Amino acid sequence: MLTDLTLTEFLEKIASHSPVPGGGSIAALSAAIAASLSEMVAHLTIGKKGYEALEEEMQEIAKDAFQYRERLIRTIDKDSNAYNDVMAAFKLPKGTELERNNREGAIQEALINATLVPLDVARDAFKIIELAGKAVKQGNKNAVSDAAVAVMMARTAALSALYNVKINLASIKDTNFVKEVGNDVKCMENAIVNREREFLSDVSM
Amino acid sequence: MLTDLTLTEFLEKIASHSPVPGGGSIAALSAAIAASLSEMVAHLTIGKKGYEALEEEMQEIAKDAFQYRERLIRTIDKDSNAYNDVMAAFKLPKGTELERNNREGAIQEALINATLVPLDVARDAFKIIELAGKAVKQGNKNAVSDAAVAVMMARTAALSALYNVKINLASIKDTNFVKEVGNDVKCMENAIVNREREFLSDVSM
């Protein structure tokens, strides 16, 4: 599993001649990092003098962030596996018409799955921007730069995931699916960029 | 060393109650990821049909990206160590005036070091935006989403490092240092945001 590699090994594996792990797994990792940083800022706020009134809010951030981290860690491998499935479908035999039909069906199925995985990452990362934004606004002032980094990592995770959605959409033939997801992507892209800008404007140091 | 932890362990360590590793180490890691993705896109372009004329350019991207990766991997720990040195200086005895002077000197020295480490990360990440941007423009079209993710990771790495510079500047008493670095930060922040926008507008898929 990718998540069992050390940081050094993982970076080496990204840099290698193989297309996996690529941008999709990185999107999931960035979202997991953003969740982890939000969790840390919450922990650094809980029990601190001056922040007593925010105890419950911070407990909730820590709990939600932990759940996102757990889910997104699994998605690092899930995204690379989804890409490998697309590649495997392309390698199916295409000698007879039946084989060609089967192959095309398998490719389309794999592409739809490889689209849905980063779409979920984008949705999670979008919610993590909000968590991190709360940490910017209400968290321990000494950790405000960590909260700002969390906002930016979540933004880049979400936009990165959407690039992976878009590149797959270009090869998907189900026009309804393409249209629906395409609309979602546009709407999310704008919202992500705006929310990051708003939260970063709250950073005071 | 942080870089010997698995991804799962590293995320757990970020999320913990300790302020390190925090945003500074994450900035270095994001920059290293951006370098690694750029290296991958270069590898996926070299030797591919239709990209023969770009062979030399891609070899250079791969070489430069590898060097950034190597340096930035070491910076992940370096940044956390610099932060720990600041914390250690704050814990020095302050009973006598001599002790107070020594402590204040040690704090200021440690803060300046903890500012220079992320400043270097920001400079490296800014150069990696350019590498990744070349990968967007000229790299294998099948990997354009990976190159776009590299641009965004480098942008977030650079801005994140600058947040870590700024939070330290707020406690540094050397007004010349603060003014000079402060000017650098503003200039870089604008350039980073602009270059990311320009390169992402080149992404076609």
Side-chain angles (χ1 to χ4, degrees), chain A residues 7 15 23 43 146 155-156 196, chain B residues 5 15 23 43 146 155-156 196:
Chain A
L7 290 188
H43 286 316
D146 299 303
R155 168 268 195 192
T156 284
E196 187 206 37
Chain B
L5 298 177
H43 287 315
D146 299 303
R155 168 268 195 190
T156 283
E196 188 206 39

Side-chain angles (χ1 to χ4, degrees), chain A residues 60-178:
Chain A
E60 204 151 312
I61 291 176
K63 200 191 75 189
D64 290 351
F66 169 75
Q67 283 169 351
Y68 283 119
R69 168 159 64 96
E70 291 283 292
R71 179 156 72 225
L72 286 157
I73 282 178
R74 289 193 296 272
T75 313
I76 295 170
D77 278 283
K78 205 171 155 187
D79 187 276
S80 288
N81 293 339
Y83 182 91
N84 286 331
D85 289 347
V86 174
M87 291 299 103
F90 270 105
K91 282 178 189 146
L92 289 174
K94 46 180 178 177
T96 66
E97 200 180 330
L98 180 65
E99 283 177 342
R100 279 193 291 280
N101 283 339
N102 282 344
R103 177 175 173 270
E104 183 54 31
I107 290 172
Q108 288 298 316
E109 198 182 324
L111 278 169
I112 285 180
N113 182 46
T115 307
L116 294 175
V117 174
L119 192 60
D120 276 345
V121 171
R123 286 181 181 139
D124 279 355
F126 188 46
K127 287 179 200 142
I128 296 167
I129 299 178
E130 299 297 316
L131 276 188
K134 272 190 205 165
V136 164
K137 286 185 169 200
Q138 309 183 310
N140 190 327
K141 282 292 157 228
N142 294 328
V144 71
S145 61
D146 299 303
V149 173
V151 168
M152 291 187 285
M153 290 298 288
R155 168 268 195 192
T156 284
L159 294 181
S160 298
L162 293 180
Y163 270 100
N164 280 273
V165 169
K166 288 188 284 183
I167 203 167
N168 285 320
L169 281 186
S171 310
I172 291 177
K173 290 178 178 163
D174 178 340
T175 49
N176 280 338
F177 180 86
V178 172

Side-chain angles (χ1 to χ4, degrees), chain B residues 30-31 34-35 125-126 128-129 132 149-159 192:
Chain B
S30 307
F126 188 45
I128 295 167
I129 299 178
V149 173
V151 168
M152 293 187 282
M153 289 299 288
R155 168 268 195 190
T156 283
L159 294 180
I192 291 158

Side-chain angles (χ1 to χ4, degrees), chain A residues 27-38:
Chain A
L29 172 61
S30 307
I33 289 173
S36 305
L37 278 173
S38 306

Side-chain angles (χ1 to χ4, degrees), chain B residues 118-119 122 157-167 185 188-189 192:
Chain B
L119 192 59
L159 294 180
S160 297
L162 293 180
Y163 270 99
N164 280 272
V165 170
K166 289 189 282 183
I167 203 167
V185 168
M188 285 180 79
E189 279 183 334
I192 291 158

Side-chain angles (χ1 to χ4, degrees), chain B residues 172-198:
Chain B
I172 291 177
K173 290 177 178 162
D174 178 339
T175 49
N176 280 339
F177 180 86
V178 171
K179 200 177 153 187
E180 216 170 284
V181 175
N183 285 340
D184 269 12
V185 168
K186 263 199 203 108
C187 174
M188 285 180 79
E189 279 183 334
N190 288 331
I192 291 158
V193 170
N194 289 337
R195 290 307 274 163
E196 188 206 39
R197 191 185 310 116
E198 286 161 21

Side-chain angles (χ1 to χ4, degrees), chain A residues 3-8 12 14-15 17-18 23 30 36 39-40 43-44 146 152-153 155-156 163 196 205, chain B residues 3-8 14-15 17-18 23 30 36 39-40 43-44 69 146 152-153 155-156 163 196:
Chain A
T3 46
D4 292 335
L5 299 176
T6 68
L7 290 188
T8 307
E12 213 164 290
I14 300 170
H17 293 68
S18 157
S30 307
S36 305
E39 196 179 339
M40 178 187 87
H43 286 316
L44 292 172
D146 299 303
M152 291 187 285
M153 290 298 288
R155 168 268 195 192
T156 284
Y163 270 100
E196 187 206 37
M205 52 171 67
Chain B
T3 45
D4 292 336
L5 298 177
T6 68
L7 289 189
T8 307
I14 301 170
H17 293 67
S18 157
S30 307
S36 307
E39 197 179 339
M40 177 186 90
H43 287 315
L44 292 173
R69 169 158 65 96
D146 299 303
M152 293 187 282
M153 289 299 288
R155 168 268 195 190
T156 283
Y163 270 99
E196 188 206 39

